[in-house]
Amino acid sequence: MIRTITAECRYFILADLQAGGEALERYLADRREKGSAYRTINADLIAVRSFCRWLLTKKRMREDPTSGLRRLNVDEDRRRERRPLTDEESQRLIDATSRSSREYQHLTGKDRAVIYTLAQRTGLRRGELRSLKPYSFELRSDPPTVQIEAANSKRRQRDLLPLPHDVAETMREYLAGRTPNERLWPGSWWYRAAEMLRLDLADANIEPVDAQGKVVDFHGQRTTFITALARAGVLPAMAQKLARHSDINLTMGTYTRLQMTDMVGAVDKLSLLRHSPEPRQEPPCVPAASNATDIDPVLERLVTSWHHLPEHIRQTIVTLLETTTDQKAGSSPE
């Protein structure tokens, strides 16, 4: 990529590159006008910027000609949006592939089913998967792990990843009797992994492209893995670590694809906020007369509208009732 860009921008020596910020900007703008995807243009910029920063660390340049250039917003120009498989679709894919009698690039149905299982439960890329050997797995440890050597990892670091116990059990059966130092899946299958997956998706009756144009491809198995972590309630920082991303925005923005059903399930987990009904206003208790027939008609109407009366009127009526009751009983009021 760097060779192509330097040739197009006519950078022949490092001095041309150092003073060539405008030429690079014109080149990227021309790529945009010709219809190149924003993600592709960003990749060109990142490649040149990485090269320039390496030159700066080696003190072969004094200034970075890419410092004034900004990446394009890929959300404005999505050409290919991946979607994750649901849990039910993942299981159908594994089941259908395991039963398949078709071989693809010398991989049996069982081989491919194990590859998909690891991709969906570890997030390993196809290049990392093809590098695996039996000794890459430590299945007797707690937790069981799989190790990717630095030479085969995208970030050029040795990666040690935990395996779910069900996946560890699958690998224990699959690796039985294999030579420790031989690649599990040699050959060139990984060059055509997209076609391989499409055939197995068809066997599982899963459309590779949905009604909204979102696709299921091999690299999308990482999207399935990271989205499954989010559905399981894994914290974003932990999901970033398991995905081995340097930027959490990449983890949450690009690889996490939650649907409305996932969001509904999330809000349903919130603690309940109960609203107590407003207390019902009961009419105040009226002192009962000694005999219901003794109640004066005017007093009866007052009692009926008792709870609407002002407080001072209610107190006056109570006093009158107490006085009347005491007089009938033959005693003087207090």
Side-chain angles (χ1 to χ4, degrees), residues 75-129:
D75 289 333
E76 298 177 357
D77 181 56
R78 286 201 174 274
R79 306 290 180 91
R80 185 183 184 89
E81 186 171 357
R82 296 182 172 98
R83 77 167 182 89
L85 293 175
T86 64
D87 291 342
E88 187 269 338
E89 287 175 328
S90 293
Q91 191 60 60
R92 277 166 48 198
L93 175 63
I94 299 303
D95 292 343
T97 307
S98 296
R99 295 191 301 265
S100 176
S101 59
R102 181 182 63 252
E103 284 196 5
Y104 188 92
Q105 297 288 316
H106 305 293
L107 296 179
T108 66
K110 180 63 175 179
D111 294 332
R112 301 194 303 275
V114 171
I115 290 174
Y116 300 150
T117 298
L118 282 174
Q120 292 182 19
R121 289 298 178 262
T122 63
L124 292 178
R125 304 170 177 89
R126 56 179 181 165
E128 295 168 337
L129 288 165

Side-chain angles (χ1 to χ4, degrees), residues 39 64 74-76 79 119 216 220 274 284 294 312 319-320 325 334:
R39 188 180 298 276
D64 182 0
V74 296
D75 289 333
E76 298 177 357
R79 306 290 180 91
V216 178
R274 299 186 182 278
D294 295 336
H312 69 281
T319 301
L320 289 173
T325 302
E334 293 180 3

